[in-house]
């Protein structure tokens, strides 16, 4: 018996030793397990409905999930850069009764003529009143679409396009809804075809009378919408500038009333047959007015949509973890604790612990809710007459091939990113050691100074090309010269008036908030506010006296200038040409304000910094923020496009996300992930269901706008080393301001492609401007990578995510996951050996 006992213990000890072994074997890289099922290049996506930006009219709400309001903030300046317009932090969806509208026979009646844009008509059994306002009661029933009995339509009538095959201008099946109606040879209304039929309509007296009534009605609707919008924005302003229970309740009530008004207006607009409207501007106004997004859902589905978002946001806001090696300190939340740890810690194990635990707490619990949201998004697409949720997600950009278009733009920028990525990988490898970072593999995401690896600015101390050259920081000079928040806004106003743009007026200064008041709580996130009345524009910011606030103030003033330039338009057009334009314009101004030349003009720099080392450091700090951000933004919303459209299976969506991160970014998770995880849920915009692609778009577009202004001002000449793009300052250059004024003044009245064509002479998003801006840095990176023999790009070095949960969470070193796989294999071998020993031990007994 003693010998048996000894044998058993020896076997047990050897099996445990085998299970813990982790030899550093140089195993070949396994072939990737492909979960990605993307689109096929050169094949157009399914057509979706023409749509323009509705951010200002359709708030992302309910805006205030908690009394403090701070739970809805994410990365702050990481995501919103230098601020946002007043609507960008709110999500869409309210459970309000659906209006029922009664329509009569008319050339524009949806009951008589099918509307191919919206499918089946809405029930028209009863009239619907809007509150106590008699001006809207039955408005569309008695308005320009209610001339009953004036004309009988028959199958032989030339005006009955359902029975006239020659009327191509009204053909439902022949029209591509994504064809640009504003190009001369590609008209949504096919105005170049069926000319005689169109002319007959336009010459018909009754048709002209009805059309004039419709125009008058839209004017009245626009005036009413502006009043409702003003009341809503005022309530939101009162809450954000004086946070308490009363103002929060008032803000929510105002939001409900406004969304109710929008639902009624949208339903009424849908009933109008837009196929008989040949005025492009009028048609676009009606189309945009008809858009209501998730609010078009049936009430029970809309309630489910809101409930799912609230459940996920609760998990996001409440996610807390225990501190590294401190199991009794378990109250660390993303803001302020974990964000600070990821930015400042240089301990590999602490960063990994923080990353893994936060993604587990914030994301894993909401996976089931998000899978349900994917199904609801199909309903959202259906009620908006779009094929699937993926097409709906990119609807605001008015392109049938938007995803492919953005991939083309990314391919323009990718060579610069790969050079930057290779340089950063080498610097991190030198810091953390080659046993943890392989020279040809993707970079683990937890060591980049940010929870999501979207910006690398926080590890600048490791990455900076010339450590001996100080970065430009004019903060001490600003303090020394007595700068105040008011003075910074006055300088920003003077910047815009110097380029032939508008002064903001005294009302702006009386109404805006530039500093944190001492007598009440204010939500200090920088934001610009349009009160929808063409004269009241405000900024809310708690400005500090530093260089970043100086740039942020100019950014917010750019939003105010945008409001001023398009205030003459109908309310539905008072917005950017697409959701990215406002941000892009503000950032383009920031590029000029942050140049050493402009800071010298302000007297904040005393000498010229002409050395190339200063230039490289300056461009590098910009690149690790702006260029590094692009693939993250693209992969995040392309992932949502794929899961909403069904290109990615819900059972493999976490692995699909990491495949996209590796494909676009060359980034991988610090540990092996599984389909039990839901890593995207740790990013606020996922549970809040807020689109993210606009940040990719705006980051690229800002350089395109900046280049056009600099060329017009003569500050940038391609190929001239004396006038590089990154040194351009448009201050006191009216020619540059005229371009910006023209772009802003169009608002959302035209598709963004046409706006760019008419203002920048380039009707597409173009990544070449960004490459030109960073050209000196790109050349420096090329030579530096050659000097160090660095591998440019990255190779897929093993699975980053498995469907099986048993293998999740294994550690990786040296750029390969083989260590984790070896550990799993040796564990299995140890267990097998133990059972063999146990079996023979039993026989001996």
């Amino acid at each position: 018996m003693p010998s048996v006992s000894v044998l058993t213990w020896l076997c047990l000890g050897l099996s445990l030793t085998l299970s813990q072994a982790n030899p550093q074997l140089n195993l070949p890289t396994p072939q990737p397990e492909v979960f990605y099922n993307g689109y096929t290049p050169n094949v157009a996506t399914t057509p979706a409905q023409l749509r323009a930006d509705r951010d200002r009219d359709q708030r992302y709400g309910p805006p205030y999930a908690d009394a403090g309001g701070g739970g809805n903030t994410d990365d702050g300046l990481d995501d919103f850069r230098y601020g946002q317009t007043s609507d960008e932090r709110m999500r869409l969806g309210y459970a309000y009764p659906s209006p029922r509208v009664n329509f009569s026979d008319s050339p524009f009646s949806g009951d008589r003529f099918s509307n191919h844009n919206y499918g089946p008509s809405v029930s028209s059994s009863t009239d619907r009143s809007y509150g106590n306002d008699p001006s809207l009661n039955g408005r569309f029933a008695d308005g320009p679409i209610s001339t009953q009995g004036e004309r009988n339509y028959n199958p032989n009538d030339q005006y009955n396009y359902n029975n006239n095959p020659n009327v191509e201008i009204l053909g439902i099946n022949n029209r591509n809804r994504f064809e640009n109606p504003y190009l001369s040879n590609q008209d949504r209304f096919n105005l170049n075809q069926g000319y005689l039929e169109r002319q007959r309509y336009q010459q018909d007296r009754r048709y002209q009378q009805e059309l004039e009534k419709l125009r008058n009605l839209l004017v009245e609707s626009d005036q009413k919408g502006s009043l409702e919008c003003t009341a809503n924005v005022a309530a939101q302003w009162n809450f954000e500038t004086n946070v308490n229970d009363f103002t929060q309740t008032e803000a929510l009530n105002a939001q409900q009333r406004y969304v109710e008004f929008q639902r009624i207006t949208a339903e009424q607009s849908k009933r109008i047959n837009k196929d008989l409207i040949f005025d492009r501007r009028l048609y676009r106004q009606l189309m945009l007015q008809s858009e209501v997004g998730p609010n078009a859902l049936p009430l029970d589905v809309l309630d489910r949509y809101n409930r799912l978002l609230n459940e996920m946001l609760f998990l996001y806001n409440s996610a807390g973890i225990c501190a590294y090696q401190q199991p009794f300190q378990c109250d660390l939340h993303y803001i302020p604790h974990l964000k600070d740890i990821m930015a400042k810690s240089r301990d590999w194990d602490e960063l990994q612990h923080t990353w893994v635990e936060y993604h587990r707490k914030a994301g894993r619990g909401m996976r089931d809710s998000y899978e349900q949201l994917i199904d609801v998004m199909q309903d959202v697409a259906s009620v908006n007459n779009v094929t699937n949720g993926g097409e709906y997600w990119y609807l605001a950009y008015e392109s049938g091939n938007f995803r492919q278009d953005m991939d083309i733009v990314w391919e323009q920028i990718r060579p610069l990113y790969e050079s930057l990525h290779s340089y950063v990988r080498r610097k991190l490898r030198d810091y953390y050691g080659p046993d943890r970072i392989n020279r040809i593999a993707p970079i683990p995401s937890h060591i980049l100074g940010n929870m999501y690896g979207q910006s690398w600015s926080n590890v600048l101390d490791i990455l900076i090309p010339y450590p001996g050259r100080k970065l430009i920081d004019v903060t001490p000079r600003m303090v020394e010269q007595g700068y105040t928040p008011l003075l910074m806004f006055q300088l920003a106003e003077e910047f815009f008036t110097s380029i032939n743009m508008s002064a903001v007026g005294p009302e702006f200064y009386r109404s805006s908030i530039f500093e944190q008041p001492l007598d009440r709580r204010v939500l200090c996130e920088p934001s610009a506010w349009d009160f929808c009345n063409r004269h009241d524009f405000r900024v809310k910011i708690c400005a500090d006296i530093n260089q970043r606030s100086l740039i942020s103030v100019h950014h917010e003033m750019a939003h105010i200038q945008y409001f001023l330039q398009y205030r003459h338009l109908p309310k539905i057009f008072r917005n950017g040409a697409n959701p990215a334009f406002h941000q892009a314009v503000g950032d383009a101004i920031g590029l000029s304000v942050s140049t050493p030349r402009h800071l010298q003009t302000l007297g904040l720099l005393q000498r010229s910094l002409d050395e190339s080392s200063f230039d490289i450091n300056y461009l590098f700090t910009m690149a690790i923020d702006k260029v590094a951000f692009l693939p993250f933004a693209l992969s995040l919303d392309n992932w949502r496009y794929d899961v909403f459209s069904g290109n990615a299976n819900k059972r493999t969506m976490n692995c699909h996300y990491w495949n996209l991160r590796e494909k676009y970014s060359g980034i991988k998770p610090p540990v092996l992930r599984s389909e039990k995880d839901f890593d995207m849920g740790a990013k606020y915009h996922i549970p809040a269901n807020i689109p993210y692609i606009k940040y990719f778009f705006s980051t690229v577009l800002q350089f395109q706008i900046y280049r056009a202004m600099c060329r017009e001002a003569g500050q940038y000449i391609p190929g001239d080393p004396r006038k590089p793009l990154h040194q351009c300052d448009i201050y006191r250059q009216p020619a540059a301001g005229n371009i910006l004024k023209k772009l802003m003044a169009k608002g959302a009245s035209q598709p963004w492609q046409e706006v760019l064509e008419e203002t920048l002479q380039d009707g597409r998003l173009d990544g070449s401007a960004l490459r030109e801006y960073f050209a000196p840095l790109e050349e420096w990176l090329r030579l530096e990578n050659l000097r160090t023999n660095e591998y440019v790009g990255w190779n897929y070095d093993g699975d980053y995510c498995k469907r099986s949960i048993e293998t999740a969470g294994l550690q990786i070193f040296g750029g390969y996951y083989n260590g984790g796989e070896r550990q799993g294999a040796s564990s299995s071998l140890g267990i097998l050996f133990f059972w063999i020993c146990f079996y023979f031990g039993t026989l001996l007994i």
Side-chain angles (χ1 to χ4, degrees):
M1 290 297 292
S3 61
V4 173
S5 178
V6 170
L7 175 62
T8 303
W9 283 109
L10 286 174
C11 289
L12 177 60
L14 183 56
S15 63
L16 289 175
T17 301
L18 284 170
S19 67
Q20 296 172 358
N22 188 21
Q24 296 294 320
L25 302 178
N26 187 19
L27 299 180
T29 302
Q31 293 298 315
E33 183 176 353
V34 178
F35 296 113
Y36 178 68
N37 182 22
Y39 60 89
T40 303
N42 302 323
V43 178
T45 55
T46 309
Q49 180 179 335
L50 178 67
R51 182 180 185 270
D53 176 36
R54 293 298 307 276
D55 281 354
R56 180 148 303 284
D57 299 310
Q58 296 179 342
R59 296 274 182 124
Y60 288 105
Y64 314 110
D66 61 276
N72 280 357
T73 60
D74 183 33
D75 274 359
L77 293 176
D78 284 346
D79 284 330
F80 302 119
R81 306 297 159 151
Y82 297 109
Q84 14 174 186
T85 50
S86 57
D87 57 283
E88 289 177 324
R89 299 179 306 284
M90 305 180 187
R91 59 184 171 81
L92 179 61
Y94 278 93
Y96 303 122
S98 176
R100 297 181 180 180
V101 188
N102 185 25
F103 291 91
S104 304
D105 186 9
S106 160
F108 304 117
S109 171
D111 287 334
R112 174 64 62 183
F113 297 95
S114 63
N115 184 348
H116 76 278
N117 290 306
Y118 290 93
S121 61
V122 183
S123 173
S124 57
S125 57
T126 62
D127 254 358
R128 172 64 184 265
S129 298
Y130 178 71
N132 297 317
D133 186 354
S135 66
L136 282 179
N137 291 344
R139 164 62 63 190
F140 279 76
D142 300 325
I145 55 173
S146 60
T147 52
Q148 300 184 19
E150 292 186 20
R151 184 180 186 92
N152 294 321
Y153 288 82
N154 60 71
N156 298 319
D157 195 330
Q158 62 182 355
Y159 293 96
N160 188 345
Y161 63 84
N162 288 318
N163 296 284
N164 187 351
N166 297 319
V167 186
E168 295 185 14
I169 57 172
L170 302 170
I172 295 175
N173 297 324
N174 294 331
R175 181 183 300 175
N176 180 351
R177 288 180 300 191
F178 263 113
E179 287 179 351
N180 188 340
Y182 307 101
L183 299 181
S184 58
N185 61 345
Q186 184 177 291
D187 200 312
R188 178 180 182 133
F189 319 113
N190 292 317
L191 298 183
N192 297 319
Q193 303 178 35
Y195 173 77
L196 294 178
E197 286 75 16
R198 174 168 63 90
Q199 194 174 44
R200 290 192 191 103
Y201 270 106
Q202 294 175 331
Q203 292 175 353
D204 182 80
R205 181 178 179 183
R206 177 178 169 245
Y207 173 88
Q208 292 298 328
Q209 292 174 341
E210 295 296 310
L211 195 62
E212 187 61 27
K213 290 180 182 179
L214 181 59
R215 288 195 179 100
N216 293 334
L217 176 63
L218 286 175
V219 172
E220 295 181 27
S221 176
D222 178 74
Q223 293 172 348
K224 180 64 178 177
S226 296
L227 292 173
E228 294 292 333
C229 178
T230 299
N232 177 47
V233 175
Q236 312 306 321
W237 172 269
N238 291 338
F239 170 67
E240 294 205 12
T241 58
N242 186 13
V243 178
N244 58 59
D245 291 340
F246 175 76
T247 56
Q248 181 181 20
T249 301
E250 290 296 304
L252 289 171
N253 291 339
Q255 184 77 1
Q256 290 178 358
R257 289 191 298 270
Y258 186 51
V259 173
E260 172 77 350
F261 172 80
Q262 287 183 304
R263 286 171 61 86
I264 293 173
T265 304
E267 290 295 344
Q268 292 169 340
S269 299
K270 287 179 183 180
R271 299 291 296 162
I272 298 172
N273 178 35
K274 302 171 188 64
D275 285 313
L276 299 180
I277 300 173
F278 306 106
D279 185 308
R280 295 167 176 169
R281 188 182 180 91
L282 186 63
Y283 185 96
R284 183 174 180 84
Q285 189 171 352
L286 277 170
M287 287 294 293
L288 299 186
Q289 195 166 278
S290 302
E291 296 294 341
V292 71
N295 282 325
L297 289 168
L299 294 182
D300 57 334
V301 183
L302 181 58
D303 180 69
R304 181 188 177 200
Y305 173 87
N306 285 323
R307 188 177 68 252
L308 289 171
L309 265 58
N310 287 327
E311 289 173 357
M312 291 189 292
L313 285 172
F314 175 80
L315 291 173
Y316 174 87
N317 290 327
S318 61
I321 71 169
C322 298
Y324 177 60
Q325 295 182 341
Q326 298 181 42
F328 298 106
Q329 185 182 348
C330 295
D331 57 347
L332 302 185
H333 295 269
Y334 178 67
I335 294 177
H337 310 103
L338 305 183
K339 182 179 178 181
D340 194 56
I341 291 172
M342 297 301 292
K344 297 179 179 178
S345 175
R346 298 296 179 259
D347 184 326
W348 178 286
D349 294 328
E350 181 183 24
L351 292 169
Q352 178 178 289
H353 165 84
T354 304
W355 191 97
V356 170
E357 286 301 300
Y358 180 69
H359 280 77
R360 180 174 65 87
K361 288 292 186 69
R364 186 175 291 187
M366 68 176 70
R367 175 164 183 145
D368 180 67
S369 296
Y370 200 85
E371 289 181 358
Q372 296 180 54
L373 178 65
I374 294 173
D375 297 330
V376 175
M377 288 301 294
Q378 308 313 308
D379 296 332
V380 173
S382 177
V383 295
N384 286 279
N385 202 35
V386 183
T387 306
N388 58 59
E391 299 293 348
Y392 174 80
W393 199 246
Y394 286 159
L395 207 58
Y397 296 90
E398 307 187 58
S399 170
N401 304 290
F402 184 72
R403 175 169 178 171
Q404 292 93 323
D405 293 342
M406 295 305 98
D407 278 349
I408 291 171
V409 172
W410 172 241
E411 287 303 316
Q412 289 182 278
I413 301 168
R414 185 183 179 99
L416 168 61
Y417 177 80
E418 288 185 343
S419 295
L420 180 67
H421 177 279
S422 298
Y423 171 83
V424 168
R425 180 178 54 199
R426 177 177 68 84
K427 300 291 282 189
L428 292 171
R429 188 173 68 250
D430 293 343
Y431 188 87
Y432 287 105
D435 58 326
R436 286 176 163 166
I437 301 176
N438 188 277
R439 67 182 301 273
I440 65 172
I443 303 172
S445 64
H446 67 300
I447 59 171
L448 290 167
N450 178 273
M451 184 67 76
Y452 317 103
Q454 68 181 53
S455 172
W456 307 341
S457 299
N458 290 323
V459 290
L460 180 61
D461 57 306
I462 299 175
L463 308 177
I464 188 166
Y466 294 101
R469 296 290 188 270
K470 291 184 179 180
L471 298 173
I472 296 174
D473 184 8
V474 299
T475 300
R477 296 282 295 174
M478 293 175 65
V479 174
E480 178 185 323
Q481 296 180 18
Y483 269 61
T484 64
L486 176 60
L487 177 60
M488 288 193 288
F489 272 95
Q490 290 171 339
L491 286 173
E493 181 183 16
E494 197 272 330
F495 178 94
F496 283 101
T497 56
S498 79
I499 59 174
N500 197 33
M501 302 191 78
S502 303
V504 294
E507 184 180 0
F508 169 80
Y509 289 100
R510 285 195 301 266
S511 304
S512 295
I513 290 182
F514 302 149
E515 301 179 75
Q516 171 71 60
L518 299 178
D519 60 340
R520 64 188 188 273
R521 183 185 173 195
V522 172
L523 300 182
C524 279
E525 293 83 1
S527 53
W529 297 66
D530 179 358
F531 279 70
C532 309
N533 56 14
R534 292 192 167 100
H535 66 83
D536 193 353
F537 310 111
R538 308 180 192 179
V539 162
K540 175 181 62 66
I541 183 174
C542 300
D544 299 316
I545 307 305
N546 56 42
Q547 181 174 326
R548 188 179 189 92
S549 285
L550 180 66
I551 299 172
S552 180
V553 163
H554 283 76
H555 180 106
E556 296 308 322
M557 193 64 83
H559 290 309
I560 300 298
Q561 287 293 327
Y562 218 144
F563 299 155
L564 288 167
Q565 297 303 322
Y566 61 48
R567 61 180 170 176
H568 63 285
L569 296 172
K571 178 187 169 296
I572 202 70
F573 292 153
R574 296 204 291 267
N575 212 325
N578 73 31
F581 267 62
H582 255 286
Q583 187 77 13
V585 167
D587 286 344
I589 295 300
L591 292 175
S592 177
V593 173
S594 61
T595 58
R597 177 179 298 177
H598 185 72
L599 297 176
Q600 277 184 284
T601 304
L602 295 179
L604 295 174
L605 276 182
Q606 293 182 335
R607 62 188 182 90
S608 177
L609 302 175
D610 293 329
E611 296 181 34
S612 62
S613 57
F614 284 102
D615 255 8
I616 297 303
N617 277 355
Y618 172 74
L619 289 172
F620 186 83
T621 58
M622 300 280 283
I624 59 176
D625 179 46
K626 294 182 180 290
V627 179
F629 172 77
L630 290 172
F632 170 79
L634 187 61
S635 58
L636 190 70
D637 257 17
N638 276 355
W639 173 82
R640 278 195 282 199
Y641 177 92
D642 287 343
V643 296
F644 288 159
S645 63
N647 290 342
N649 194 300
K650 287 190 288 189
R651 293 175 297 177
T652 60
M653 63 183 181
N654 198 56
C655 294
H656 181 64
Y657 170 74
W658 285 110
N659 281 336
L660 291 178
R661 289 301 308 276
E662 184 272 337
K663 171 187 175 182
Y664 289 112
S665 305
I667 302 297
K668 63 183 177 183
V671 299
L672 195 62
R673 312 305 287 160
S674 79
E675 288 303 331
K676 185 178 180 181
D677 300 305
F678 185 62
D679 294 324
M680 302 70 63
K683 182 68 177 173
Y684 169 73
H685 295 71
I686 298 298
N689 208 36
I690 295 176
Y692 209 73
I693 194 65
K694 70 177 179 180
Y695 298 116
F696 174 90
F697 197 109
S698 67
T699 302
V700 177
L701 180 60
Q702 64 182 269
F703 292 97
Q704 200 170 343
I705 296 173
Y706 181 62
R707 179 178 64 179
M709 293 191 297
C710 292
R711 279 178 172 173
E712 190 68 20
Q715 295 286 310
Y716 169 54
I717 300 177
D720 187 347
R722 296 170 299 177
K723 291 188 176 182
L725 182 56
H726 69 278
Q727 292 181 359
C728 162
D729 177 21
I730 63 168
Y731 180 55
R732 297 174 180 169
Q733 300 291 334
N738 290 337
I739 288 182
L740 204 56
K741 283 177 64 176
K742 186 177 180 181
L743 181 144
M744 291 175 168
K746 293 179 180 296
S749 63
Q750 299 170 244
W752 65 267
Q753 297 94 333
E754 184 175 333
V755 171
L756 290 185
E757 180 65 38
E758 293 182 5
T759 56
L760 310 185
Q761 285 71 55
D762 189 359
R764 63 188 179 90
L765 189 66
D766 184 7
S768 65
L770 184 145
R771 290 282 297 278
E772 291 174 30
Y773 182 91
F774 288 105
L777 175 65
E778 185 172 5
E779 178 63 15
W780 183 89
L781 289 170
R782 185 186 70 82
L783 295 175
E784 184 69 7
N785 289 332
L786 281 174
R787 182 183 69 82
T788 58
N789 196 30
E790 188 65 23
Y791 180 81
V792 177
W794 55 86
N795 289 335
Y796 190 93
D797 63 332
D799 294 323
Y800 311 133
C801 180
K802 291 281 193 180
R803 291 183 62 179
S804 171
I805 64 172
E806 288 90 4
T807 57
L810 300 181
Q811 176 62 60
I812 58 100
F813 289 104
Y816 291 93
Y817 286 85
N818 295 332
E821 294 168 3
R822 291 194 300 272
Q823 186 174 351
S826 59
S827 298
S828 301
L829 180 60
I831 293 171
L832 176 62
F833 188 77
F834 172 80
W835 282 111
I836 291 174
C837 290
F838 181 82
Y839 175 77
F840 283 106
T842 304
L843 292 181
L844 288 174
I845 293 174

